[in-house]
Amino acid sequence: MTTFTSLPAFNAQVPAKGMVHIDLGDRAYDIHIGANAFANPSLWQGLPSGQTAMIVSNETVAPLYLQQLTNAIAPHYTRVLSVVLPDGEAYKDWQHLQLIFDALLAHQADRKTVLFALGGGVVGDMTGFASACYMRGVPFVQVPTTLLSQVDSSVGGKTGVNHPLGKNMIGAFYQPERVICDLSVLSTLPARELSAGLAEVIKYGPIADMAFFDWLEANMASLRAGDVDVLAVAVQRSCEIKAWVVAQDEREAGLRAILNFGHTFGHAIEAGMGYGNWLHGEAVGCGMVMAAHLSQRLGFVDAAYVERLTALIAAAGLPTRGPLLHNAQSNTSDGIYLGHMRVDKKAEGGQVRFVLVHAGGRATMASADDALVREVLAATCQA
Ligand code: NAD
Ligand code: GLY
């Protein structure tokens, strides 16, 4: 098990240890990483006991893994219920959150009920938020089934749903009891979704660990081919870095914002293109290229750094040039980007704040003049 107050050096020679501990006092928990998790009874022991477990999943993941998860946890609960949501970011809303509460109440689930999130980040965020709210809080377990959710969304306790006026605007910090990352389930993940997850893996290099970045450059082809041993190293290191950040700043008073490298530009792409057209990870990948250009213009990194990062993002199968945005008001593309960035959660008093990278694997937050942002957009958006 890895547990730490300072980030240990990356060592890919050491086989993935398979467990990362998030040190959050009475909210501490473990992230388990390995193959064939459903067939490993020890992973499902020692969770909060209760009569009822409820698995939340979606229409795509449930046919693949609901029965396996049900079998794995059945020895520990009198009844295992399930609720299957429609698949997609479009359903990550208040109305579909209500379906979870409807199912819990219809089955008279008590406050000892344990929820299990079986799916990607959408299911994980919704289940976590439902757990935070139901009877003012019931325990939940994350069983993330996308690469993105294994390296990012299932870890750290950010939960919530979208509002028509903003993504992830309604939510709570609420930590899971345990995270179980089964690398075997990634075999059914579409290649485009695997690439989207790689964006969130790549981000950990520039913000915290350039040795990991070097390793990603050398291993990108194996990661895209779904090599479980190589994925294990990537998931383990990503979770180590996320755990290290979250343990220092659980509620994003400062440091945790560095995990949003690429996300300010990325959110503008997602919102500007209409949610669902670009995957979150695709927008983050392209957003990291844009944020690196901005960092270069501010003198934090050189052109060679930007080229290296751009090449790795391209090698992950992600877009590196942003779309030109259009709207009914015929605003300029730059104006639309800036408009979306001003409603980003990191904005303060209408001023956009960016995560900027520095050579050597470090990130800071700063605002930037609109003129500089326009220069970046001119350099990185498709003509
Ligand atoms: P997702 O949950 O929509 O999953 C992507 C697609 O893959 C879906 O169609 C899903 O049904 C399918 N899928 C999932 N697992 C599968 C499997 N094993 N085999 C086949 N198909 C599978 O998307 P995502 O990329 O996992 O998560 C994106 C969401 O996560 C966004 O809503 C984003 O806001 C959120 N997010 C949250 C945090 C956080 O800290 N809470 C961090 C990053 C992203
Ligand atoms: N995904 C960013 C965070 O968890 O803070």
Side-chain angles (χ1 to χ4, degrees), residues 152-153 155-158 173 200 203-204 242 246 252 256-257 259-260 263 280:
D152 193 351
S153 63
V155 174
K158 280 189 182 176
F173 285 99
E200 302 282 14
K203 86 175 173 196
Y204 291 111
K242 181 145 189 187
V246 170
E252 201 166 312
R256 184 167 177 166
L259 296 172
N260 291 319
H263 286 59
H280 176 72

Side-chain angles (χ1 to χ4, degrees), residues 7 9-12 198-221 223 233-234 237-238 241 261 285 288-289 292 301 303-316 318 357-362:
L7 183 65
F10 175 60
N11 184 355
L198 286 169
E200 302 282 14
V201 174
I202 291 170
K203 86 175 173 196
Y204 291 111
I207 65 169
D209 185 359
M210 287 309 274
F212 182 48
F213 188 90
D214 297 342
W215 181 88
L216 287 171
E217 286 181 324
N219 289 279
M220 188 49 75
L223 287 166
V233 175
R237 187 56 176 169
S238 299
I241 295 171
F261 174 46
M288 287 192 285
V289 173
V301 293
Y305 178 106
V306 178
E307 271 173 37
R308 241 186 110 187
L309 178 58
T310 306
L312 184 60
I313 290 165
L318 294 162
V357 284
H358 301 250
R362 192 169 68 82

